[in-house]
Amino acid sequence: MPFVKKKFYAQKRERAFLYLIRELGYTQKEAQRLIAKGRLLVDGEPITKAGTDIEGEFEFIYFEPITKGLKPTYEEDEFVVFDKPSGVLIHPQNRNTPYSLIDELKYQFGRDANIAHRIDQETSGLVLCAKNKKSERDIKMMFQERDMQKIYLALVHGKFENELIVEAPLLRAEDESAIVRMVVKVDYRGKASKTELKPIEYFADKDMTLVECKPYTGRQHQIRVHLFHVKHPIVGDPIYGQSEEDIVKFLDKELSKKERREKSGASRLLLHANSLEFELYDKKYFIKSDLNFRKIALEAVKNIH
């Protein structure tokens, strides 16, 4: 379990954050943030004010990364790229999350290493990670300035015949129905969003198409919503393209794998972050995933038809 609770002992009375800085190597900002989150407990009760004094025994809950042996697909002095398997979270959802990519990163490269962007839990593929605070700032600025070109592959329902640029604004749903949890929809009040879509291969026996997706903006669920918008939802998508009843069942973890395969075509979202192209520290990079997504996708749907 990445989050562990351990007992510590302060020999003399002192400020809680100073103890964490000295004994555990946190910066002042990190120590104060962790205390504010209720991670330090005295007699079982969380202390949330960083200026509080401690003395004697107390408990501290902190992140202790574990490894499952996932090796980076690419590494430089300042950054590293992982080929994330489908199903692995980027960050823990809560203290009980058993494993996420941040575990692997911090276990291998230390506390200052951090993930620079996100992909959905079920999306597989490339995730760029910074090895230190400086490269984290520089990489995040690169994303902000849209100096990163990402290409995804998706297996979609139907025959996708022509190249297409979708420019449909996206809005987080805020209405009162259960569909609010669908998260994102096309809406003129939303943020400008643009995706270029190009068919690669049509599988007539399955009536599915492998599509290359190039997002120019980085909105949440952008590729999923844009493909649904043009009536080619991604195979395995449990939200976009499904009935409200089934969306709620999925979100409440009440939709079985069998039901999901029958309704959406696969038991995972068939979307893959296939390549990253960017320039960092005066050097150009083109990094491609090692995974054969075409083979993985066809394997995932072979028993459906």
Side-chain angles (χ1 to χ4, degrees):
M1 186 68 69
F3 284 96
V4 295
K5 187 196 285 185
K6 287 195 176 176
K7 287 184 179 177
F8 294 88
Y9 191 87
Q11 296 282 0
K12 61 180 193 308
R13 191 173 184 81
E14 64 178 310
R15 293 283 167 90
F17 76 90
L18 290 174
Y19 181 96
L20 297 183
I21 291 169
R22 190 185 70 253
E23 296 295 329
L24 295 177
Y26 289 105
T27 64
Q28 182 172 334
K29 188 177 177 182
E30 287 169 338
Q32 290 175 331
R33 182 175 58 84
L34 291 169
I35 292 168
K37 281 184 164 184
R39 298 276 181 85
L40 193 148
L41 301 96
V42 175
D43 297 327
E45 293 296 317
I47 303 295
T48 54
K49 289 184 180 174
T52 303
D53 287 343
I54 53 167
E55 187 176 8
E57 190 175 274
F58 66 92
E59 293 174 304
F60 184 59
I61 299 166
Y62 64 100
F63 186 79
E64 190 171 76
I66 60 170
T67 180
K68 289 195 173 181
L70 183 65
K71 297 297 179 196
T73 198
Y74 187 89
E75 185 179 350
E76 287 279 354
D77 290 342
E78 298 292 325
F79 68 87
V80 65
V81 179
F82 281 96
D83 224 336
K84 185 186 82 67
S86 174
V88 174
L89 284 159
I90 293 286
H91 293 103
Q93 286 176 326
N94 53 50
R95 289 180 191 172
N96 297 317
T97 300
Y99 174 78
S100 60
L101 190 63
I102 197 77
D103 273 286
E104 206 61 74
L105 177 67
K106 288 185 183 288
Y107 183 91
Q108 294 184 40
F109 300 103
R111 187 188 284 163
D112 284 348
N114 214 349
I115 294 172
H117 64 117
R118 292 169 181 260
I119 59 176
D120 291 343
Q121 180 178 2
E122 289 194 2
T123 302
S124 54
L126 301 180
V127 180
L128 178 60
C129 309
K131 283 188 176 180
N132 54 62
K133 301 284 188 191
K134 182 187 182 302
S135 60
E136 182 184 354
R137 283 192 300 272
D138 294 339
I139 291 167
K140 284 183 175 175
M141 180 59 70
M142 183 177 66
F143 273 99
Q144 205 172 312
E145 299 294 324
R146 297 182 185 168
D147 293 334
M148 162 70 74
Q149 181 62 71
K150 294 187 279 187
I151 291 181
Y152 289 76
L153 296 175
L155 188 68
V156 305
H157 289 285
K159 188 173 187 180
F160 197 109
E161 295 190 281
N162 303 306
E163 289 188 32
L164 186 64
I165 291 178
V166 182
E167 295 189 73
L170 298 179
L171 182 75
R172 283 182 72 109
E174 302 244 336
D175 52 64
E176 292 301 312
S177 75
I179 214 80
V180 67
R181 294 181 297 173
M182 181 170 141
V183 184
V184 181
K185 61 183 177 182
V186 170
D187 192 295
Y188 72 93
R189 297 167 298 170
K191 292 182 177 177
S193 307
K194 180 180 175 182
T195 312
E196 187 178 325
L197 303 168
K198 182 163 65 175
I200 296 173
E201 186 176 356
Y202 176 60
F203 304 100
D205 59 326
K206 298 174 175 57
D207 191 26
M208 294 173 182
T209 309
L210 187 65
V211 177
E212 180 184 282
C213 314
K214 190 187 290 186
Y216 288 88
T217 46
R219 311 300 179 205
Q220 184 183 24
H221 292 184
Q222 177 174 319
I223 294 170
R224 295 168 66 179
V225 181
H226 277 175
L227 281 164
F228 169 58
H229 182 62
V230 297
K231 299 182 169 51
H232 290 284
I234 297 176
V235 178
D237 197 324
I239 293 177
Y240 303 104
Q242 303 305 317
S243 70
E244 181 169 343
E245 182 188 355
D246 286 329
I247 293 167
V248 173
K249 278 178 77 174
F250 169 74
L251 293 169
D252 289 339
K253 296 184 169 45
E254 292 171 358
L255 191 72
S256 70
K257 275 198 171 185
K258 182 173 180 290
E259 282 180 298
R260 180 171 173 183
R261 284 171 65 86
E262 287 168 356
K263 310 258 184 185
S264 70
S267 57
R268 65 153 281 199
L269 179 74
L270 291 176
L271 179 63
H272 179 69
N274 196 52
S275 68
L276 300 173
E277 189 172 357
F278 57 94
E279 186 175 334
L280 189 65
Y281 306 132
D282 300 319
K283 187 175 174 183
K284 290 184 177 177
Y285 296 94
F286 178 75
I287 301 166
K288 199 167 182 295
S289 171
D290 291 331
L291 297 178
N292 183 340
F293 179 70
R294 179 187 183 277
K295 183 180 176 185
I296 290 166
L298 292 178
E299 187 69 27
V301 299
K302 73 175 183 182
N303 296 320
I304 298 297
H305 293 265

